Amino acid sequence: MRHPFLVSDRIYLRRLEKEDIEGNYFQWLNDQNVTKWMRHGIFPNSYESMKAFYENQAISKTDVVFAIVFKEQDRHIGNIGLHSINYVFRSAEIGIIIGETDCWGKGYATEAISLLSHHCFKRLNLNRLAAGAVDKNIGSIRAFEKAGFSREGVARQAYFCEGQYHDCVNLSLLYSEWLAGKKVGV
Ligand SMILES: CC(C)(COP(=O)(O)OP(=O)(O)OC[C@H]1O[C@@H](n2cnc3c(N)ncnc32)[C@H](O)[C@@H]1OP(=O)(O)O)[C@@H](O)C(=O)NCCC(=O)NCCS
């Protein structure tokens, strides 16, 4: 493991590093299959935009991005980000991408969300975690639900993907719910 920060059964999370931009990560954001239900994939990816994104989050107090690494091969398979951290409201948003498509459907997203949620509630002292996914993004909605999140509403026609407008399903997990045992995995 290289610079592990949070560790679970099969994966670990470490802070995103500059070198990651040189790896497969660059192409994840060009892959129309990966970005189908995301805000990415509208313009081609560029090193300049990735570098700016990396540099902003590296010094930000409100956004932090972690690499999701498959322990066994020390392989960078995706990213999970904590965004819009609000230290007064004690809330934040989680975004996730498993960019290596051969790793889909193996529970890695669920494991990463559970691992990060644990850290948010037990160390960062947050009270509310939120996430959003296009209504057709069953894998994403399901991963958040398996990690204990509940649906709380939709943002109507918030995305335009695959030739039509789609609602964004909003999900959240409160500390009280997590504590009551809705958490899985870790
Ligand atoms: C969506 C995404 C994060 C899911 O990651 P993952 O590691 O495949 O998710 P998990 O394996 O933890 O799956 C969670 C559940 O969803 C199911 N699932 C995963 N992908 C699915 C799909 N495409 N269709 C239906 N169900 C799916 C899994 O089977 C599992 O349910 P189960 O345990 O009841 O069988 C991943 O596919 C991805 O990164 N996609 C591209 C980027 C993206 O859409 N990010 C999210 C933006 S909100």
Side-chain angles (χ1 to χ4, degrees):
M1 288 192 284
R2 177 186 154 78
H3 304 156
F5 180 65
L6 301 173
V7 182
S8 60
D9 284 354
R10 299 175 300 163
I11 58 165
Y12 68 93
L13 306 184
R14 59 163 171 77
R15 188 146 199 167
L16 194 67
E17 295 176 355
K18 224 176 204 161
E19 297 71 38
D20 293 322
I21 297 173
E22 308 291 332
N24 291 354
Y25 174 26
F26 186 96
Q27 197 52 25
W28 299 343
L29 303 184
N30 270 339
D31 183 337
Q32 295 294 315
N33 195 26
V34 173
T35 60
K36 186 153 71 173
W37 307 121
M38 300 179 77
R39 291 176 196 278
H40 293 282
I42 294 167
F43 294 112
N45 194 20
S46 70
Y47 280 111
E48 289 70 22
S49 64
M50 287 189 92
K51 199 164 161 278
F53 173 77
Y54 169 79
E55 282 167 358
N56 283 336
Q57 66 81 42
I59 56 164
S60 173
K61 293 271 183 284
T62 57
D63 294 84
V64 56
V65 181
F66 300 92
I68 303 170
V69 185
F70 179 45
K71 268 191 202 169
E72 209 173 283
Q73 301 159 346
D74 217 23
R75 177 180 175 205
H76 182 199
I77 61 168
N79 293 334
I80 186 163
L82 199 56
H83 303 288
S84 305
I85 304 169
N86 186 314
Y87 296 97
V88 176
F89 298 164
R90 294 170 51 208
S91 62
E93 294 163 17
I94 291 183
I96 188 162
I97 178 172
I98 303 292
E100 299 290 297
T101 55
D102 63 313
C103 293
W104 285 0
K106 294 180 176 163
Y108 296 129
T110 306
E111 198 169 322
I113 296 163
S114 299
L115 188 56
L116 185 57
S117 300
H118 184 280
H119 183 69
C120 288
F121 293 131
K122 281 296 173 193
R123 191 72 170 117
L124 277 170
N125 195 22
L126 296 181
N127 179 58
R128 173 188 153 88
L129 298 175
V134 173
D135 54 7
K136 295 279 185 214
N137 197 346
I138 308 299
S140 180
I141 295 170
R142 187 93 192 92
F144 279 103
E145 286 182 331
K146 285 190 77 183
F149 284 64
S150 304
R151 295 178 195 225
E152 60 180 16
V154 298
R156 294 181 301 161
Q157 301 193 1
Y159 281 78
F160 187 80
C161 314
E162 299 289 289
Q164 60 189 77
Y165 291 107
H166 289 277
D167 293 345
C168 175
V169 176
N170 294 325
L171 302 112
S172 65
L173 175 62
L174 303 180
Y175 177 57
S176 54
E177 297 168 337
W178 180 83
L179 206 55
K182 289 190 83 182
K183 65 182 186 290
V184 293
V186 290

